[in-house]
Amino acid sequence: MSTAPASTAPSTLPTAELCVDEDEFEALAEPWGRLYRSCAEATPFQSHAWLSSWWRSYGRRGRLRVLLVHSGGRLIAAAPLMRVDRPLPALKPLGGAISDFTDVLLDGAHREEGVEALLSGLYALAKTALIDFGEVRPGACVESLYERWPGPRRTLPASDCLELPALPIEGLLERLPAPRAQRARAKIRKLTALGVESRVVPVEEVESSVRTLLHLHQLQWQGRKVTSEHLQPRFHEHLLRSMRPMVAAGEAVLTEFRLDGEVLAADLTLLSGTLAGGYLYGAHPRLRERKVDVATMLLEACTRHTSGEHPRALSLLRGNEPYKHHWRPEPVTNRRFLLARRRTVPLVCAVAWGASGRQWAKRRLREGDGQRAGDARRGDGASS
């Protein structure tokens, strides 16, 4: 572990160190867990089990850059980053594209100290690379760094997410128009009538359940467009490695659904102190044949972990798919934070221009799709 160049504070003050060794990062599970639990803004994607497993599956040797802040022997802040050189030299959060939110961690009891020490360490690192936090959820700890950043900075829109309040299923039904709520209640009653049974998977069965989930996920999307990464061995290895410690720590829950004695669906929901995220599920095509409304079944199971003694908002995570809107979720837009110094400000401009170009291309594509759909409708009308 090497000391970050910006740390010149006396030993009585917080010190920032840069962890570049994979084994040392792997060994941080216990202090990282304490920090994670003390950070109210943390999402499941900042847990040590998730990040260390992700690094083992996706990281590149020599690129690890985890900034750690200690005070009195206690880990009070951390920025889990890695160095990338393409398309531009940058420091980006661990977790990559399979993580829906990125952030730093700040101990709630030492927040000011942690922010100042992280700022010092990150400012030193920004001398040769852009600090690029993508997919930042509103209210995240990174916002405190952005507000106080002494150099050039820029914020850009990132992915759209949808979120439901911390309510039991009946509370969510009461938010719906009466006819839609009535249909949803009928679907829930049908689950009971068919004999669908659900159970939370115990820690000792996690690996077996993850394999079942991945198999069902593949069956569910067979012959249809699917996120290709979910079919890759490295993704499977990541989930198999990370889920047991996350379930044991209360950072994830696996639920299996049985019909006629057979597991025909499985769901993985990730948990933090204030957030639950429905991350991945798999459903056998036979459920569709039995007219089971899988989305309602999964949502009802997820709400068991969002209300009660520890209320959590239910995030439907990234994506604005039409089926998610059935429950009247609130839109929540992630943001991208770019932090630089004067010598690296051209990198900020390059990223901003690139993002603007991609947004323009997406708009043109949507407009083209809309135009083609309109032409098709007019053509159908002319020929009828």
Side-chain angles (χ1 to χ4, degrees):
M1 194 177 289
S2 59
T3 304
S7 268
T8 58
S11 58
T12 55
L13 296 177
T15 57
E17 298 176 308
L18 193 62
C19 175
V20 299
D21 184 87
E22 298 176 1
D23 293 334
E24 290 184 7
F25 178 52
E26 186 78 20
L28 286 172
E30 187 175 338
W32 194 284
R34 285 195 297 267
L35 172 59
Y36 175 82
R37 291 187 294 273
S38 71
C39 181
E41 299 85 352
T43 79
F45 302 104
Q46 282 78 59
S47 74
H48 185 268
W50 181 269
L51 293 175
S52 61
S53 175
W54 180 89
W55 180 258
R56 288 174 64 181
S57 285
Y58 294 89
R60 295 184 61 184
R61 185 171 294 277
R63 301 297 180 93
L64 190 67
R65 302 288 189 275
V66 181
L67 189 61
L68 305 170
V69 177
H70 289 89
S71 179
R74 179 186 178 94
L75 184 63
I76 65 166
L81 302 170
M82 61 181 178
R83 170 86 185 203
V84 300
D85 293 322
R86 295 179 182 179
L88 299 167
L91 289 168
K92 294 189 175 186
L94 304 185
I98 66 168
S99 300
D100 289 72
F101 305 122
T102 69
D103 201 0
V104 300
L105 291 174
L106 293 170
D107 187 324
H110 302 271
R111 189 179 181 92
E112 288 301 311
E113 303 165 69
V115 168
E116 290 302 322
L118 280 184
L119 276 173
S120 176
L122 289 172
Y123 193 71
L125 294 172
K127 187 175 182 180
T128 57
L130 177 68
I131 311 293
D132 185 353
F133 284 96
E135 303 300 348
V136 176
R137 186 170 178 258
C141 293
V142 169
E143 291 181 354
S144 296
L145 298 176
Y146 183 81
E147 290 165 3
R148 305 185 195 187
W149 187 254
R153 59 184 185 169
R154 183 75 180 269
T155 179
L156 302 169
S159 298
D160 292 327
C161 301
L162 296 169
E163 201 167 286
L164 290 165
L167 293 171
I169 187 67
E170 189 56 37
L172 294 180
L173 289 169
E174 290 172 358
R175 300 171 70 249
L176 301 179
R180 189 182 299 177
Q182 187 176 359
R183 289 194 295 271
R185 289 189 179 96
K187 291 172 181 177
I188 293 171
R189 290 195 297 270
K190 184 171 184 177
L191 295 173
T192 303
L194 286 171
V196 175
E197 299 176 344
S198 66
R199 71 158 190 145
V200 172
V201 176
V203 172
E204 60 270 16
E205 298 178 28
V206 164
E207 286 89 349
S208 173
S209 184
V210 169
R211 290 189 178 92
T212 299
L213 165 64
L214 292 168
H215 173 66
L216 289 170
H217 184 75
Q218 189 168 359
L219 281 178
Q220 168 194 338
W221 293 100
Q222 206 162 38
R224 297 187 290 160
K225 187 177 180 181
V226 63
T227 302
S228 59
E229 186 58 35
H230 291 170
L231 307 180
Q232 299 302 314
R234 62 184 180 181
F235 178 76
H236 293 192
E237 291 164 5
H238 164 61
L239 285 190
L240 285 165
R241 187 168 46 235
S242 62
M243 281 307 106
R244 186 182 179 98
M246 290 185 73
V247 168
E251 297 164 358
V253 60
L254 278 155
T255 305
E256 292 181 344
F257 303 86
R258 290 178 177 266
L259 183 58
D260 300 330
E262 185 180 355
V263 177
L264 293 184
D267 171 77
L268 170 59
T269 296
L270 303 182
L271 306 172
S272 67
T274 59
L275 187 74
Y279 185 71
L280 190 73
Y281 74 93
H284 199 287
R286 248 186 290 162
L287 289 177
R288 289 199 300 271
E289 296 168 8
R290 299 286 293 272
K291 308 298 182 185
V292 171
D293 190 295
V294 173
T296 300
M297 179 181 74
L298 296 173
L299 187 74
E300 194 274 334
C302 283
T303 57
R304 300 171 199 170
H305 311 288
T306 60
S307 57
E309 186 179 353
H310 301 290
R312 299 178 174 101
L314 176 57
S315 175
L316 306 181
L317 302 181
R318 287 180 297 172
N320 203 13
E321 297 87 351
Y323 78 88
K324 293 181 179 180
H325 287 271
H326 293 169
W327 294 90
R328 298 182 68 180
E330 296 295 326
V332 178
T333 301
N334 287 349
R335 288 183 292 170
R336 184 179 183 182
F337 290 95
L338 307 174
L339 309 174
R341 292 174 63 160
R342 279 189 298 176
R343 65 184 299 173
T344 50
V345 72
L347 302 178
V348 175
C349 299
V351 170
W353 291 334
S356 297
R358 286 190 294 274
Q359 289 296 322
W360 177 85
K362 287 179 181 178
R363 284 197 300 271
R364 290 299 301 270
L365 183 61
R366 285 196 297 269
E367 290 167 2
D369 289 343
Q371 181 66 45
R372 285 190 290 273
D375 291 344
R377 285 194 297 272
R378 286 191 291 274
D380 290 343
S383 61
S384 61

